[in-house]
Amino acid sequence: CMIYMILFLLLIASFQSSMEIAGEVLRHIRDFMTVLAPSYFLAMTLTSYVTSAGVYYEFLLLLISAVRWFTERFLLPCIQVYVLLSLANHLSKEEKLTRLTELTGMVVEWSLKAVLAAVTGFHLIQGVITPAADAFRNTTVSQSIEMVPGVGDIGGSVTDMVLGSAMLIKNGIGAAALVALVLICLIPLFKLAVIMAAYYALAAILQPVSDERITGCLGGMGNGVRLLFQTVFTILVLFLLTIALTTALTGR
């Protein structure tokens, strides 16, 4: 029992470092998206996708705030509770908190899937409506300019050139944002993956020679770090999808 309590304290301290890695990279993602949004959607406005820019800008600001609340107030505390339940479950030989621990892990995983599905669904529905309205307005304006006697053809060509240049700038900003997001998350995700693999490897190596409660404790810690990894990865995919789908749906 004394050995287990010492291990308990060491693992709690170790898990706090993993929590700090996850929390820091999530803050970096939110800060980057907050800085990116004005310039990116200004470029989208210059492509004459005014309606889409307004809708997607408001959605992105709402998404950033929702992700901040969702991760800080719900997901990360739930993962902490999961780890504490995993450790407490192995204090005695009879595991009395197994179902509650599994339920907490399922809540985290299904919450991540639900958020990802909701954001994807919004983009699919919104991508059918606002880009079509902007494209109709653009066609009407272009045809109206071309109907002006004398300067119609020149005005239409200049308009197309300006819109094409703005579209290129907007798509370039979107592509650079995708690369920047991946680079921001690459090293933290690698660290979490190494920590998770280390817990699983220790549990596997110690199982033949150690008490079952100690190996179960290490396995639970590995599952906790895995949930942190899934959280960071899902939030990364969330913003990657937002930028990629917005760029693709307004790139015609």
Side-chain angles (χ1 to χ4, degrees):
C1 183
M2 183 68 68
I3 292 174
Y4 186 82
M5 292 303 297
I6 295 174
L7 179 64
F8 188 101
L9 296 175
L10 291 175
L11 291 179
I12 286 293
S14 173
F15 185 74
Q16 287 301 318
S17 65
S18 300
M19 286 285 295
E20 291 175 0
I21 293 173
E24 184 178 3
V25 68
L26 290 175
R27 285 192 297 271
H28 289 167
I29 293 175
R30 293 195 303 265
D31 293 341
F32 175 78
M33 293 302 299
T34 303
V35 173
L36 171 71
S39 58
Y40 178 73
F41 289 104
L42 177 61
M44 185 185 294
T45 303
L46 297 178
T47 63
S48 73
Y49 279 89
V50 179
T51 304
S52 298
V55 172
Y56 284 120
Y57 182 63
E58 293 179 358
F59 171 76
L60 184 58
L61 294 180
L62 177 62
L63 180 62
I64 293 171
S65 301
V67 164
R68 179 178 182 180
W69 180 89
F70 187 61
T71 55
E72 293 181 354
R73 302 294 183 181
F74 181 74
L75 280 181
L76 296 182
C78 280
I79 295 174
Q80 287 180 316
V81 170
Y82 175 85
V83 170
L84 291 175
L85 289 174
S86 298
L87 295 176
N89 190 37
H90 296 91
L91 281 173
S92 62
K93 292 185 177 181
E94 296 181 3
E95 298 181 358
K96 299 181 179 181
L97 299 175
T98 302
R99 300 301 180 187
L100 183 58
T101 304
E102 293 176 353
L103 177 61
T104 307
M106 288 178 58
V107 168
V108 174
E109 292 178 349
W110 281 100
S111 298
L112 291 172
K113 294 178 181 178
V115 171
L116 188 60
V119 173
T120 304
F122 169 83
H123 283 291
L124 292 178
I125 296 174
Q126 196 64 35
V128 178
I129 302 174
T130 54
D134 287 323
F136 176 76
R137 186 181 63 250
N138 296 344
T139 302
T140 303
V141 172
S142 179
Q143 291 178 351
S144 300
I145 293 175
E146 292 177 356
M147 292 175 61
V148 177
V151 297
D153 294 336
I154 298 175
S157 300
V158 172
T159 301
D160 293 338
M161 182 180 66
V162 172
L163 293 179
S165 301
M167 187 72 68
L168 182 62
I169 294 173
K170 189 244 331 166
N171 292 344
I173 295 175
L178 294 177
V179 175
L181 279 175
V182 172
L183 292 178
I184 289 173
C185 298
L186 188 60
I187 295 178
L189 285 175
F190 178 76
K191 290 181 180 179
L192 291 175
V194 170
I195 296 172
M196 176 180 62
Y199 280 128
Y200 286 142
L202 283 174
I205 293 172
L206 293 177
Q207 187 174 15
V209 297
S210 180
D211 187 80
E212 183 181 356
R213 289 176 291 176
I214 293 179
T215 57
C217 175
L218 292 172
M221 291 295 297
N223 292 334
V225 179
R226 176 178 57 82
L227 291 177
L228 288 177
F229 182 91
Q230 289 181 348
T231 299
V232 175
F233 185 77
T234 302
I235 299 302
L236 171 62
V237 171
L238 204 67
F239 287 113
L240 289 178
L241 279 176
T242 298
I243 297 175
L245 291 178
T246 303
T247 303
L249 293 173
T250 59
R252 296 189 290 269

